[in-house]
Amino acid sequence: MQKTQLVKFLGVSLVAITAACGGAKAHVETNPQPTPAPTPAPTPEPPPPPAPVIAQKVAKSRVELTAEKIVIKEKVQFDAGKATIKPESKDLLDEIAKVFADNPQIKKVEIQGHASGEGDPKANTKLSDERAKSVLAALTSRNVKAEVLAAKGYGSERKIVADEKTEDDREQNRRVEFVILDPAPKKGGLAGKLGPK
C-alpha cells in the first residue's frame, strides 16, 4: 500500500471511528439507561408515645373532725352477729388513726357502739360493747395511745331512727361513733382543724 493510500485509509478509519463514537454517544443520549432511583432514606421510627400520666388517686376523706366528734362517713364493718372487724374496714381505721396522729390536742375520745332495736336488748348492748372494744384494739394497734381512748356499748339506747320500720332504719342505728370528751366541745373548737395546733 502506498503512503498516500495509507493516509487516506487512516483518515477514513478515523472518521469512521469518530462517527461510531459520536453515534454511540448520540445513542446513549437519546436512549439513556434508566438511572436507578436513589434509595430513599429510611423513615425514622416515630418517637415512642409519652408515658401515660397515671392519675393520682385522690381519695375523698371518709373521716372528718368536728368540735364534738370524729365523724366517719362510712361504717366500720363487722361480721354478722360478731365483734370481728371485716378486712374492708382496714383503710377506714387507718384514716381514723391518722386523725389522732395529726391532732395531739385530742386528749380523750369515747368509742361508742350502737345497735338497732331488733333482738334482745341485753344481747345488743353486749355486742355493741364488744364492737366498740374491737375498734379500740384496732386503733391502739395503729399507734393510737390507749389512754386517749375509752370504749362503751350503748345497745339501742341512742337510736338515730327512733321508730325502726325498715331494715334501712335498723342499719342506720347500727354504728360506731367517736365522741370527743377532752377537750370539751366549745364553739369554734376543733371543728374543721386537721393537723396539730
Side-chain angles (χ1 to χ4, degrees):
M1 198 179 270
Q2 292 182 352
K3 197 175 183 179
T4 311
Q5 287 177 335
L6 181 61
V7 170
K8 278 185 183 178
F9 173 76
L10 287 174
V12 170
S13 296
L14 269 172
V15 169
I17 291 169
T18 305
C21 288
K25 187 176 178 185
H27 177 73
V28 170
E29 287 173 355
T30 55
N31 295 312
Q33 289 294 323
T35 308
T39 306
T43 307
E45 290 288 325
V53 177
I54 297 170
Q56 287 187 343
K57 196 176 179 182
V58 181
K60 221 174 177 186
S61 179
R62 295 172 285 188
V63 183
E64 180 185 341
L65 181 60
T66 70
E68 297 83 21
K69 294 180 178 182
I70 297 170
V71 179
I72 55 174
K73 297 175 183 177
E74 71 178 52
K75 290 184 166 198
V76 177
Q77 298 292 324
F78 298 92
D79 288 341
K82 297 181 181 177
T84 310
I85 299 171
K86 290 186 175 182
E88 53 262 38
S89 288
K90 176 189 175 297
D91 290 344
L92 176 61
L93 290 166
D94 290 345
E95 286 184 47
I96 296 165
K98 186 173 185 323
V99 170
F100 282 97
D102 291 347
N103 292 276
Q105 75 276 12
I106 300 174
K107 304 298 181 200
K108 197 72 174 179
V109 169
E110 183 177 66
I111 303 167
Q112 299 181 349
H114 300 281
S116 68
E118 185 178 42
D120 178 58
K122 285 185 181 177
N124 285 343
T125 300
K126 183 175 182 289
L127 180 59
S128 67
D129 192 64
E130 289 169 355
R131 287 180 169 181
K133 287 175 180 164
S134 287
V135 172
L136 186 150
L139 291 176
T140 55
S141 75
R142 288 166 170 77
N143 300 316
V144 178
K145 294 177 182 173
E147 61 268 20
V148 173
L149 302 173
K152 184 173 180 183
Y154 288 90
S156 57
E157 289 175 28
R158 301 181 180 185
K159 296 180 186 175
I160 294 173
V161 181
D163 186 19
E164 296 174 349
K165 293 183 178 176
T166 66
E167 182 55 32
D168 186 56
D169 294 342
R170 287 185 284 277
E171 190 57 34
Q172 285 186 63
N173 287 332
R174 296 178 195 123
R175 67 198 188 280
V176 173
E177 293 185 333
F178 300 85
V179 178
I180 297 170
L181 304 177
D182 183 13
K186 57 185 176 185
K187 194 171 183 181
L190 299 174
K193 293 182 183 175
L194 291 173
K197 285 184 177 178

